[in-house]
Amino acid sequence: MGAELNLTLSLRAHATERLTVAIKADSALNLISPLTPVELTRDSDGRFNLDISVRTPAAGRHYLRIYATTAGQGASMSRSMSVGIQVGDPPSSTQKSSTNADQGEKLRRMKADESEP
């Protein structure tokens, strides 16, 4: 495969003019840029935009981990999130099992895919 993907991440943050963002890729993605944390400023629409480039040798579902930190007025706030990226066609059938909880809510059990930052 070896495809290079170029993405634009757009974030919003309240009451701050600057946002520091660090990106980490899962083991199947090669992060091309940015390799170090980036300090972003708000655009005219109130968003913080970051261009990201990754390369992957394998089709499938991959994840980018995003760490965002704001600082100002003597306080800071951090958030982390994951963004899924599907490379190639998704599998035609997925193995998901579902069951009902005590109150009749439908639960879906899915395989966990966790990694350390």
Side-chain angles (χ1 to χ4, degrees), residues 23 61 64 94:
I23 306 291
R61 186 99 170 142
L64 287 176
T94 57

Side-chain angles (χ1 to χ4, degrees), residues 17 32 41 49 51 75 86 101 107 109:
E17 293 299 317
I32 297 170
T41 56
N49 298 308
D51 292 326
Q86 180 65 44
L107 301 175
R109 295 176 193 253

Side-chain angles (χ1 to χ4, degrees), residues 86-103:
Q86 180 65 44
V87 177
D89 295 328
S92 59
S93 65
T94 57
Q95 294 182 351
K96 299 176 187 173
S97 62
S98 61
T99 185
N100 289 333
D102 294 336
Q103 290 78 27

Side-chain angles (χ1 to χ4, degrees), residues 45-112:
D45 293 327
R47 291 184 173 99
F48 297 90
N49 298 308
L50 176 62
D51 292 326
I52 302 168
S53 294
V54 295
R55 181 180 301 275
T56 181
R61 186 99 170 142
H62 307 291
Y63 292 89
L64 287 176
R65 294 185 308 274
I66 301 160
Y67 304 95
T69 304
T70 62
Q73 300 174 345
S76 66
M77 182 174 75
S78 296
R79 298 275 172 128
S80 62
M81 61 206 88
S82 292
V83 175
I85 300 171
Q86 180 65 44
V87 177
D89 295 328
S92 59
S93 65
T94 57
Q95 294 182 351
K96 299 176 187 173
S97 62
S98 61
T99 185
N100 289 333
D102 294 336
Q103 290 78 27
E105 294 179 50
K106 191 162 189 153
L107 301 175
R108 188 180 330 174
R109 295 176 193 253
M110 301 176 74
K111 182 179 160 186

